[in-house]
Amino acid sequence: MGNKWESVSRKIDWPVFVISGGLLLLFVILSIFNVEAVSKFVNTGFELSIRYFGAYWQLLLLATFIIGLGLSCSRYGSVKLGNLAKPEMSRFKWVSIIVVSGLGAGGVFWAAAEPMYYFMDVPPMHQGISPNTQEAIAPALAQAFMDWGFTAWAVYGAISAIIFMYAHYHKGMPLKPRTLLYPILGDKILTSKWGTFADSFCIIGAAAGTIGPIGFLGLQVSYGLNSLFGIPDSSFTQALIIIGLISVTIISTVTGIDKGIQWFSKLNVIMAVVIAVFILMFGPGAFIIDAFVSSFGFYLSEFINVSTYRQDQEWLGWWMLFFFGWFIGFGPMVAIFVARISRGRTIREVFLAVSVLSSITTNFWFTVLGGSGIFYEMNNAGSVSGPLNENGLPAAIIAIAQQMPLSAIMPAIFLVLTILFVVTTADTMSYTLAMGVTGEGDPPNFVRVFWAVLMGFIAIILINIGTGGINALQSFVVIAAVPVSILLLPSLWHAPQLAKKMAIEQGIVRAESVEAKEKEVVV
């Protein structure tokens, strides 16, 4: 037993482990003593982050998508990543894991509520459109598409995965956030203080972003059980729900990517598809399809204008930049996970799966849930907006499900789906955070379990303090996105350089032709 513990201990990057885990625990301790002061401090940091980094984030995400698109459309798109000739898993399983892990809790929490918020209060860049009208549908859904669209998903590894996979599988570097600095620092990243700093903040951002949905799940399911079955909506019920969730998460993350994580992701996708088909066939199917087509067209036509909108700073902070900061905060850790499961895939496949397929799938799912909510609200004013305004996110999906066909069982079905979405986020992040502190593609089970238990423990404490603690943690993710976004910037240059290097090594392009083109550009 002692030898086993010593082996695990040697694999752990203790400075990163102590800094990331210690700061999260410090946040909880301070919240216990004075959650109002913590919330005030975090809100100030949140506002400063949005004010000084908001424009940079918008341009960073846009540039990440454009560069990824350019690489995938070029000959470099055929470059195979991960030093492996064939992929390790089928395309369906691979895409399923990426979509569900990246979407996570947003698949129910925000999919139901966000379009409704925009329908009730039209985003400011679309002035002249009255809320709660037919004309407000396309802008409402299109804004949700932007928040969870091509540019946001691109930060989940559309180009950064190229650096991770080259450095890890070709050069033996660890699967840690610091590896993004490999093209700059080389082997020095293994001992660099900048590397410790990068790992710690990326882990804190991803852990905080996972704890929030775990806490919200406790609130969501507890609210649903109370509404449906009269079970007390209490802290005790919420704690039991989170303990059950973490128990399932531990089983999934310990059994690994090839078993638990893959199985839950596949089950999640199948259940979501069945629900979507059912709603399309027996619910407002024609409305959903029309709304998706028109709203997606609106999203594409306004893509640049909305991506670079800067007028209403307060609105941006509450909505679009909040989500962009969230994606950035998760970015390097999700990209590490994408790198771990994408060996043998091409640059084109990774870009299409991460930034295009995941985005379009998310947008359509948002239309199925959020579009249904808008449909029911238009036919019965207040039926969705009323519960949403009174009880927040947990009430939206229940209010929508109660108006669907098979309304007696649909709310319970959506509660199960919510649990599945959060499990796939929690197990993936437990596994990925363990990779982040060990640098290994298959981290020790002890470390995986530690992160799952720690995130559940913090979530229980924060919801017992009150929603202020959970809300403060959500805002803290945006603050953590500031250093993470700086870490991601060099990828815009280094990913194409490594793509070119691998294209030459794999015989896809000739070195002479690349050099000739570069000389033409200089001239």
Side-chain angles (χ1 to χ4, degrees), residues 77-233:
S78 300
V79 169
K80 281 191 177 292
L81 298 168
N83 208 16
L84 193 68
K86 281 186 171 184
E88 295 177 306
M89 64 179 70
S90 70
R91 184 172 281 109
F92 175 76
K93 291 179 181 177
W94 175 63
V95 174
S96 296
I97 293 175
I98 291 174
V99 172
V100 176
S101 300
L103 179 57
V108 178
F109 293 143
W110 288 108
E114 191 179 350
M116 181 57 60
Y117 279 125
Y118 297 143
F119 181 67
M120 296 187 296
D121 186 10
V122 179
M125 65 280 289
H126 307 302
Q127 296 179 359
I129 297 177
S130 300
N132 301 302
T133 62
Q134 187 74 29
E135 291 73 26
I137 297 173
L141 286 168
Q143 186 58 52
F145 294 174
M146 174 60 69
D147 297 344
W148 300 76
F150 297 134
T151 56
W153 273 93
V155 83
Y156 275 176
I159 64 172
S160 55
I162 297 172
I163 298 174
F164 281 123
M165 296 181 79
Y166 177 81
H168 180 66
Y169 295 113
H170 291 256
K171 299 299 180 180
M173 293 296 106
L175 274 176
K176 296 182 177 182
R178 68 176 66 198
T179 297
L180 285 174
L181 299 173
Y182 173 75
I184 301 173
L185 299 177
D187 292 346
K188 292 179 181 178
I189 63 164
L190 297 173
T191 55
S192 169
K193 292 181 180 179
W194 290 108
T196 300
F197 180 80
D199 289 350
S200 299
F201 268 92
C202 289
I203 288 171
I204 289 169
T210 307
I211 293 165
I214 291 172
F216 278 129
L217 176 80
L219 299 173
Q220 170 87 68
V221 177
S222 180
Y223 174 89
L225 292 175
N226 178 258
S227 300
L228 299 176
F229 309 112
I231 296 173
D233 184 7

